[in-house]
Amino acid sequence: MGLKQSMDIVVISSILGIGSLGLLFGAGLAYASKKFAVEVDPKIEQILDELPGANCGGCGYPGCSGYAEAVVKSGVDITLCAPGGDEVVEKIAGILGVEAVSAERMVAVVQCQGDNEKAPKRFQYDGVLDCNAAEIIMGGDKACVYGCLGLGSCVNACPFGAMEMRDNGLPYVFEDKCTACGMCVAACPRGIMKIIPVSQKIFLGCVSQDKTKAVKQVCKVGCFACQLCTKPKVTPSGSIEMDGNLPVIKDITADDLQMAVEKCPTNSYVVRS
């Protein structure tokens, strides 16, 4: 037998050996995939198909797949998908065979009115155009340490194009596009973004925890804890109570809330149209 024939035999034997091993491993993997396969409830996949796929996390779960699984396996509330709204709630209810209960639509609001004219700055900020970066590195350029930094982190975080920065240095919410996913709330280092029911027409446009002189020095429309809006002569229903240095609306349906708006000496309340 010549050298060439010997080499051919070696090559052929190697190919056959490798092929046999491949078949053996393939059969083993096929067996393992069937043996250890995790059964997926078809309802999870059906619900996932009905979710909008935004993966915004507003429901409190890691993406739409995490929410779909939690709904089926843990009985989580089916109304938590804000982007999907009532339409998705009805579809999920149909899949699960339960009654669809509509949740009130929510919307994001900006709890700061301290724009470029009403709230002075301490210095000219030339750093990264990100509120979190400004807050960490220099504490922001705004004199009010509670006010909007105006660098648009909330706008950039919105996956639905429901926000924009205005020339006055404050973000603006397009309520018809807002899904109340909460991404803007999570992105704001100052905590001025809030999710409220659409039926709430009045809210406090300030989150400052300071009082009187300290507020007046840094903002013309900041709440300085005068407590006038909580007085019985202004809101006899008791719809507004103080929580620290800020008034909190306890009853958003109270008729006397408009009186609180009119009596506020700093125009700190915002009336939604």
Side-chain angles (χ1 to χ4, degrees), residues 66-147:
Y67 178 53
E69 183 175 350
V71 166
V72 175
K73 292 186 175 181
S74 304
V76 169
D77 190 344
I78 66 173
T79 66
L80 299 184
C81 180
D86 289 342
E87 182 180 354
V88 166
V89 171
E90 292 178 2
K91 290 180 178 179
I92 294 177
I95 293 171
L96 298 178
V98 299
E99 182 181 358
V101 179
S102 297
E104 182 176 4
R105 183 170 175 265
M106 309 290 279
V107 68
V109 295
V110 183
Q111 290 184 293
C112 179
Q113 300 182 85
D115 58 26
N116 294 333
E117 294 183 359
K118 299 169 184 173
K121 295 184 177 182
R122 296 182 294 149
F123 57 86
Q124 180 64 42
Y125 176 75
D126 294 318
V128 178
L129 297 181
D130 178 80
C131 298
N132 292 280
E135 176 75 5
I136 293 173
I137 298 174
M138 305 182 71
D141 57 357
K142 208 150 200 171
C144 175
V145 296
Y146 299 97

Side-chain angles (χ1 to χ4, degrees), residues 48 52-58 61-66 83 159-160 183:
L48 185 58
N55 292 311
C56 61
Y61 293 88
C64 294
S65 60
F160 302 100
M183 296 295 282

